[in-house]
Amino acid sequence: MIVLYSSIGLCLIQAIGIKYQFGDFTISYIDSVTFYNYLFSKADCYRKGTDFDQMNNPRADYLFTFKVHDQKKIVKADIIEQLQNNKINLVKAYLHNFVWNTASANVVPITYSNINNSKRFEITKSFLIWLTKYQNRIMTILGIVLSLIMIRKYYKKDIFLLFVAVFILYIIGISGISSNQGDRFHIMTYPFTLILIANYLKSKPFFAPPQK
């Protein structure tokens, strides 16, 4: 309970800080901006037949010319408009983000530079990119599949496993909101996926503990 109350306390501290800075008692303003600048910007590009460029996004440049309260109004109006008139492209944008984030490597080793002119640099860099890419793919797929199995099997029997499964699906699911993130969202689910893997394997005869 101490951990739970501490987590709630951190959320309250964040909300109090936002209240002091902006006058609104809310957790964050990032959520609406993220929707607008990533998912809904890509969907709008699909509608207009243009390429989405995360680093050069005219919609983001436009949004940041307003104060945070006006930003939320602009985002709300855009969300309503696209949900009414651009549903197909929204689904297309979400699925593209989801697949890209699931199939891609960690963005950090991609940005490495060979400052010391090491002969093994390119080999090491390529290996790290390959490792994080397939680690992301394998762990994400295992997380989704095992979560669905655990929900079906334990939704009334084990609250902890149910919570872990729902948490994994939620985190992986919301990764589709942002584009070009690699394993940035998914990596936080890996420890919980390992819990589901261990729980699943212990029920198999080969991994079952010896009987006394």
Side-chain angles (χ1 to χ4, degrees), residues 1-106:
M1 297 307 296
I2 292 176
V3 174
L4 177 61
Y5 291 143
S6 298
S7 301
I8 296 173
L10 290 175
C11 293
L12 290 176
I13 291 173
Q14 172 73 5
I16 292 170
I18 295 291
K19 172 68 174 178
Y20 176 79
Q21 187 174 1
F22 300 108
D24 289 333
F25 194 77
T26 184
I27 298 297
S28 174
Y29 284 102
I30 298 175
D31 52 352
S32 57
V33 173
T34 302
F35 271 105
Y36 186 89
N37 289 345
Y38 290 89
L39 180 63
F40 283 81
S41 286
K42 179 175 284 189
D44 191 54
C45 286
Y46 285 150
R47 174 166 56 182
K48 295 177 180 177
T50 58
D51 294 329
F52 173 72
D53 187 347
Q54 182 175 313
M55 303 304 297
N56 299 287
N57 184 355
R59 279 168 54 100
D61 296 337
Y62 168 77
L63 185 66
F64 289 133
T65 61
F66 296 89
K67 295 183 178 180
V68 291
H69 297 92
D70 295 326
Q71 288 177 9
K72 296 201 78 169
K73 294 178 182 178
I74 294 171
V75 171
K76 182 178 180 181
D78 180 70
I79 289 175
I80 293 173
E81 189 278 326
Q82 292 210 48
L83 287 175
Q84 291 176 343
N85 305 311
N86 200 30
K87 298 184 186 69
I88 300 300
N89 286 321
L90 276 173
V91 174
K92 181 180 176 182
Y94 173 85
L95 291 176
H96 184 272
N97 289 346
F98 182 86
V99 172
W100 200 99
N101 292 335
T102 298
S104 300
N106 188 291

Side-chain angles (χ1 to χ4, degrees), residues 168-206:
I168 291 172
L169 293 177
Y170 171 75
I171 296 299
I172 294 176
I174 64 172
S175 70
I177 295 172
S178 295
S179 56
N180 303 342
Q181 299 299 312
D183 64 358
R184 182 181 173 190
F185 285 92
H186 298 186
I187 197 170
M188 65 185 298
T189 67
Y190 292 175
F192 299 94
T193 300
L194 290 175
I195 292 174
L196 297 190
I197 292 174
N199 188 273
Y200 178 80
L201 291 180
K202 76 177 185 180
S203 63
K204 302 303 176 182
F206 182 79

Side-chain angles (χ1 to χ4, degrees), residues 104-122:
S104 300
N106 188 291
V107 296
V108 175
I110 296 175
T111 63
Y112 285 167
S113 299
N114 192 5
I115 298 176
N116 297 324
N117 296 317
S118 173
K119 296 180 180 179
R120 298 181 179 180
F121 174 80
E122 291 300 331

